[in-house]
Amino acid sequence: QVQLVESGGGLVQAGGSLRLSCAASGRAANSYRMGWVRQAPGKEREFVATISWSGGSTSYTNSVKGRFTISRDNAKNTVYLQMNSLKPEDTAVYYCAACGGCRGDYVLQYDYWGQGTQVTVSS
């Protein structure tokens, strides 16, 4: 069982930056592939980014490539999502998620979820 707690969301103007954090706890928490998934109002959850347990492999959805960076610090059991050049269409609740033995690029692959943190980008 893995517990995930996100933080770092907020309100930012278009073009600004935010860094989301996800603190993981539980058995072998740092051995899981981690990801960020977002859900905008009235829309389905959407894959954003994923990182392997070692941090050596990352993947992003096309709309955030070059603007978002996912990273992890296994000594702190924490995953980060650095979001730069934010756009109004990035407005959503952002969820941290974990999965074991998966590619992580599809929402339904994830086994564990945090409670989410709201990101609002004003134009």
Side-chain angles (χ1 to χ4, degrees):
Q1 192 79 3
V2 177
Q3 294 78 42
L4 305 171
V5 179
E6 303 97 333
S7 61
L11 173 64
V12 64
Q13 288 188 333
S17 298
L18 281 175
R19 188 176 81 156
L20 305 183
S21 299
C22 172
S25 61
R27 183 179 178 187
N30 61 9
S31 68
Y32 285 79
R33 171 174 285 276
M34 302 294 292
W36 289 94
V37 173
R38 65 187 180 187
Q39 186 168 22
K43 295 187 177 181
E44 295 185 350
R45 290 190 180 187
E46 172 193 27
F47 162 76
V48 176
T50 185
I51 188 167
S52 62
W53 70 269
S54 68
S57 172
T58 59
S59 179
Y60 300 88
T61 192
N62 285 339
S63 62
V64 309
K65 284 181 181 177
R67 300 189 298 122
F68 291 11
T69 302
I70 188 171
S71 62
R72 68 191 297 165
D73 184 341
N74 283 343
K76 297 181 178 179
N77 283 353
T78 301
V79 177
Y80 305 97
L81 185 68
Q82 177 67 44
M83 304 185 295
N84 299 328
S85 302
L86 283 161
K87 304 176 181 180
E89 51 263 44
D90 294 318
T91 295
V93 176
Y94 283 71
Y95 297 91
C96 177
C99 62
C102 70
R103 285 181 49 180
D105 57 354
Y106 185 54
V107 173
L108 294 182
Q109 294 176 348
Y110 287 98
D111 303 307
Y112 303 103
W113 294 83
Q115 82 289 350
T117 185
Q118 176 70 46
V119 172
T120 303
V121 184
S122 62
S123 57

